[in-house]
Amino acid sequence: MQVYDYYAGGADTESTVRDNRAVYGRYRLLPRYMVDVSHCDLTYHLLGHKLSMPIVVAPMSQQRMADDEGELAVARAVAKEDTVMVLSTMATQPLEDVAKAGKDGPLQLFQLYVIKDRAFCRRLIQRAARAGYAGFMVTVDAPRLGNRISDERNKFSLPPGMEISNLSGLVKGGQEAKGDSSSHIVRVFQEQVDASLTWEFVKWMRDVTKLPIFVKGILSPEDARKAVDVGVDGIVVSNHGGRQLDYSPATLDMIAPIRAAVGHRVLLLMDGGIRRGTDVLKAIALGADAVMLGRPVLYGLALQGEEGVRKVLQMLRRELTLAMQLAGCTSLQTITQSLVLPFGVGVHLGHASKL
């Protein structure tokens, strides 16, 4: 139960966790018919690499708690489904081993928590680049860890024998420090993650690597504009799965305002609440280039390892294909904002048509 609570839980009242899911019910789909949908193309290109679908596996920590192979099993599954895995800094497998496991896929990205020790941070970035990761996702919404009540109640810590492999040398896995009731992951953030992070870091990182840089955790259109101004390659609209600031907005609601703020100057991804093919369709219609999938991957991993992850991705691909066909969309390029209506708008449209 402790592991499930860690994966499924959120911050404080978990209102944002619930709203991330509920928001999809606040939009309706307006289909167009008499379109030849006998062939539907889900192909998506990310950083010049061809993916089978616009669905990317989000960075998630400590995957060995779900399955002994953890991130290795996910990397193999994602590669076989011809899409992308974003590996978490807080992984329980070394980044080099995960890169090897997913080497047959289109590409892999590395998610970066910014460590106070800039020399260590530089070495971590360089390690990921040498291992073959094609770009970085810098998480910006976690200067401190959100107030995760279930983890505190469970006195959550990593099981014995597990460690945060990529931070080896900075932190030790497993047991809580004497006299400290907070979880291991809380201590990592308190001791290692840089709470003084500003936009200047992107400039510093540009001196370390020439690989593409995404910023993950953007909700404000103003922050999105700042991200573009400092030269990022992509933005991930995210509220950290509802695990950071409770009552922050559902990510689906923020896609259109952020797209309006930045135009098409950068790639725009999103995560939060994706469970069905119609969810992916709505996110793309509102302006996302692709979506990132989180908790369902962990659940598939826990149930059936690598094969479970593959089944989750295959199911979403089938559902997205069907949703696009039923909506009259033959490719990602034909999915436009005219496809989505806020709940209730259809009633007014129907009334107007009778006048």
Side-chain angles (χ1 to χ4, degrees), residues 71-72 75 87-88 91 93-103 108 110 123-133 165-168:
E71 293 86 358
L72 302 180
L87 181 69
S88 172
Q93 297 281 13
L95 66 88
E96 291 86 356
D97 293 352
V98 179
K100 290 176 184 176
K103 63 182 175 57
Q108 294 170 298
F110 186 78
R123 291 194 299 272
L124 186 59
I125 293 167
Q126 291 170 339
R127 276 180 61 193
R130 284 195 303 270
Y133 291 86
S165 301
N166 299 316
L167 299 186
S168 179

Side-chain angles (χ1 to χ4, degrees), residues 349-355:
L349 289 176
H351 176 70
S353 69
K354 298 175 183 178
L355 297 180

Side-chain angles (χ1 to χ4, degrees), residues 292-351:
M292 300 207 306
L293 186 66
R295 290 179 175 100
V297 171
L298 291 173
Y299 301 151
L301 179 66
L303 284 170
Q304 210 174 348
E306 177 184 336
E307 187 60 28
V309 175
R310 291 193 69 185
K311 287 179 179 178
V312 168
L313 294 172
Q314 290 165 2
M315 178 184 69
L316 268 181
R317 185 192 292 114
R318 288 193 302 269
E319 289 191 2
L320 177 57
T321 301
L322 179 59
M324 288 174 62
Q325 290 173 318
L326 293 175
C329 300
T330 58
S331 68
L332 302 182
Q333 292 71 34
T334 62
I335 302 173
T336 66
Q337 196 163 356
S338 64
L339 180 65
V340 288
L341 297 172
F343 182 65
V345 170
V347 175
H348 301 298
L349 289 176
H351 176 70

Side-chain angles (χ1 to χ4, degrees), residues 54-73:
I55 301 171
V56 172
V57 172
M60 295 168 285
S61 67
Q62 305 174 105
Q63 295 176 22
R64 282 190 62 210
M65 294 193 302
D67 175 85
D68 190 53
E69 287 197 294
E71 293 86 358
L72 302 180

Side-chain angles (χ1 to χ4, degrees), residues 71-343:
E71 293 86 358
L72 302 180
V74 174
R76 290 195 302 268
V78 171
K80 289 174 182 176
E81 296 305 321
D82 286 321
T83 188
V84 178
M85 174 185 184
V86 186
L87 181 69
S88 172
T89 295
M90 303 296 183
T92 43
Q93 297 281 13
L95 66 88
E96 291 86 356
D97 293 352
V98 179
K100 290 176 184 176
K103 63 182 175 57
D104 294 329
L107 75 160
Q108 294 170 298
L109 301 175
F110 186 78
Q111 176 269 336
L112 182 70
Y113 282 116
V114 180
I115 305 303
K116 293 176 184 175
D117 183 340
R118 284 294 190 268
F120 183 91
C121 193
R122 179 187 294 269
R123 291 194 299 272
L124 186 59
I125 293 167
Q126 291 170 339
R127 276 180 61 193
R130 284 195 303 270
Y133 291 86
F136 295 91
M137 263 182 203
V138 180
T139 292
V140 300
D141 62 358
R144 287 286 185 265
L145 204 65
N147 187 31
R148 301 173 189 178
I149 303 299
S150 58
D151 289 348
E152 185 67 25
R153 181 180 62 245
N154 292 332
K155 298 189 185 318
F156 172 82
S157 64
L158 276 174
M162 287 189 192
E163 68 172 2
I164 300 174
S165 301
N166 299 316
L167 299 186
S168 179
L170 281 178
V171 297
K172 300 293 185 182
Q175 304 305 312
E176 294 179 355
K178 292 181 179 179
D180 184 359
S181 64
S182 64
S183 75
H184 173 68
I185 197 75
V186 171
R187 294 201 317 278
V188 170
F189 271 75
Q190 290 173 339
E191 297 169 7
Q192 307 297 344
V193 174
D194 190 354
S196 69
L197 187 66
T198 69
W199 292 109
E200 290 299 313
F201 177 79
V202 177
K203 299 176 184 177
W204 177 87
M205 193 170 175
R206 284 293 185 203
D207 291 333
V208 178
T209 181
K210 301 306 179 187
L211 291 174
I213 299 171
F214 292 73
V215 286
K216 179 180 181 292
I218 299 297
L219 291 170
S220 161
E222 183 57 33
D223 279 346
R225 281 190 286 265
K226 288 181 180 178
V228 173
D229 289 343
V230 298
V232 303
D233 300 281
I235 290 170
V236 182
V237 182
S238 175
N239 55 33
H240 217 106
R243 295 162 67 82
Q244 284 299 100
L245 178 65
D246 200 17
Y247 296 106
S248 57
T251 49
L252 190 72
D253 277 337
M254 300 313 301
I255 297 172
I258 288 176
R259 176 58 83 191
V262 303
H264 290 274
R265 290 177 287 171
V266 294
L267 294 169
L268 188 63
L269 280 63
M270 68 81 68
D271 66 14
I274 296 286
R275 296 295 184 272
R276 309 306 299 251
T278 49
D279 301 339
V280 182
L281 185 61
K282 291 175 183 179
I284 294 173
L286 287 167
D289 291 306
V291 306
M292 300 207 306
L293 186 66
R295 290 179 175 100
V297 171
L298 291 173
Y299 301 151
L301 179 66
L303 284 170
Q304 210 174 348
E306 177 184 336
E307 187 60 28
V309 175
R310 291 193 69 185
K311 287 179 179 178
V312 168
L313 294 172
Q314 290 165 2
M315 178 184 69
L316 268 181
R317 185 192 292 114
R318 288 193 302 269
E319 289 191 2
L320 177 57
T321 301
L322 179 59
M324 288 174 62
Q325 290 173 318
L326 293 175
C329 300
T330 58
S331 68
L332 302 182
Q333 292 71 34
T334 62
I335 302 173
T336 66
Q337 196 163 356
S338 64
L339 180 65
V340 288
L341 297 172
F343 182 65

